[in-house]
């Protein structure tokens, strides 16, 4: 029993340390590349870990011992978004009407696009349901996934993929579409790419990060309330 406890402790600190070192290195790499969104640190840091786990056939449960420590800090990190929101509350309040309209449209588009793409590719019902929750932050997405009969683990994978893709390509896409306003850019990243997109938005400016955080939070609440009702109606 003591050996098993020691082994679990070793795996926890080993994988936690590896993750933190790789993420730090990924951040440095992104800085050297001029802050390029394509060098997203989540993608760069996770790729070698995923490759090693797959090639060595290491059980994910072993890695997740350290991952759970990071997951614990996800809640406080999300709550900390209240600080920049408080500092920019007047700017948010002045555009609350347009923000809510854009948020509703973005939330509905995220649900339909996710489910629609999966359906058109011939995915089964569980995958379609899992894909529909791809644009809300992981803890809420997994809870909603269970509520609608989807697969929480699969949903988490879709959420991370959506966040990485959105954070990497969202900025260049918005620029190509002529969206220059930092508030609108933050809103788009928050709705489409949730936490990872919000982290990217804060790298650009506190104002963009604030609107991204507001969008991420409100989109999570709105989707959590509406998605179960939508799927109960259709199924």
């Amino acid at each position: 029993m003591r050996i098993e406890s020691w082994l679990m402790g070793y795996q926890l600190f080993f994988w936690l340390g590896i993750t933190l070192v790789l993420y730090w290195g990924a951040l440095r790499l992104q800085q050297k590349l001029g802050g390029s969104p394509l060098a997203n640190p989540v993608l760069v840091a996770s790729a070698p870990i995923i490759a090693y786990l797959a090639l060595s056939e290491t059980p994910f449960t072993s890695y997740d011992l350290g991952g759970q420590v990071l997951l614990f800090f996800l809640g406080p990190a999300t709550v900390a978004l209240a600080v920049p929101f408080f500092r920019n509350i007047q700017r948010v309040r002045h555009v609350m009407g347009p923000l809510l309209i854009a948020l509703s449209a973005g939330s509905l588009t995220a649900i339909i696009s996710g489910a629609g793409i999966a359906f058109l590719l011939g995915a089964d019902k569980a995958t379609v349901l899992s894909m529909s929750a791809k644009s809300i932050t992981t803890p809420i997405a997994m809870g909603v996934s269970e509520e609608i009969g989807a697969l929480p683990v699969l949903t988490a994978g879709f959420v991370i993929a959506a966040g990485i893709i959105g954070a990497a390509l969202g900025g260049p896409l918005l620029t190509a579409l002529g969206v220059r306003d930092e508030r609108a850019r933050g809103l788009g990243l928050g709705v489409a790419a949730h936490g990872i997109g919000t982290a990217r938005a804060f790298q650009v400016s506190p104002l963009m990060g604030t609107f991204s955080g507001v969008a991420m939070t409100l989109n999570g609440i709105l989707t959590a309330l509406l998605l179960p009702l939508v799927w109960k109606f259709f199924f």
Side-chain angles (χ1 to χ4, degrees):
M1 189 68 179
R2 182 175 298 178
I3 295 178
E4 291 181 357
S5 299
W6 181 88
L7 182 60
M8 290 180 62
Y10 169 79
Q11 290 177 331
L12 186 157
F13 286 105
F14 174 78
W15 285 115
L16 179 61
I18 289 294
T19 302
L20 293 176
V21 169
L22 286 175
Y23 189 77
W24 175 81
L27 284 175
R28 293 294 301 273
L29 176 62
Q30 188 182 44
Q31 291 172 357
K32 289 186 177 181
L33 294 176
S36 172
L38 297 178
N40 185 277
V42 176
L43 175 61
V44 174
S46 61
I49 294 176
I50 294 172
Y52 177 82
L53 293 178
L55 294 174
S56 65
E57 297 184 354
T58 302
F60 175 73
T61 51
S62 297
Y63 172 78
D64 198 40
L65 291 172
Q68 288 298 318
V69 177
L70 297 176
L71 186 62
F72 170 80
F73 288 101
L74 182 60
T78 303
V79 173
L81 292 174
V83 176
F85 171 72
F86 178 77
R87 291 174 178 171
N88 292 281
I89 190 169
Q90 294 300 328
R91 291 189 175 187
V92 175
R93 185 177 297 171
H94 288 160
V95 294
M96 185 58 69
L99 186 151
L100 292 177
I101 295 173
L103 177 68
S104 300
S107 179
L108 184 60
T109 300
I111 294 172
I112 294 175
S113 64
I117 291 171
F119 177 78
L120 292 174
L121 292 176
D124 57 22
K125 176 184 174 181
T127 303
V128 172
L129 292 173
S130 300
M131 190 70 165
S132 66
K134 66 175 176 56
S135 291
I136 51 178
T137 189
T138 305
I140 300 177
M142 295 184 72
V144 172
S145 182
E146 291 183 8
E147 180 69 21
I148 63 178
L151 304 173
V153 175
L154 186 58
T155 298
F158 287 143
V159 168
I160 294 172
I164 292 174
I165 294 172
L169 302 180
L173 178 60
L174 290 169
T175 299
L177 293 173
V179 180
R180 308 292 180 183
D181 190 293
E182 288 193 349
R183 299 169 298 178
R185 293 172 70 91
L187 181 67
L189 285 175
V191 171
H194 42 80
I196 300 177
T198 298
R200 173 58 189 166
F202 271 111
Q203 288 181 328
V204 178
S205 76
L207 180 62
M208 186 184 297
T210 296
F211 274 82
S212 183
V214 171
M216 177 189 72
T217 304
L218 295 180
N219 182 48
I221 296 172
L222 182 62
T223 305
L225 292 174
L226 294 181
L227 195 55
L229 298 176
V230 170
W231 287 121
K232 283 181 180 179
F233 177 78
F234 281 103
F235 294 100

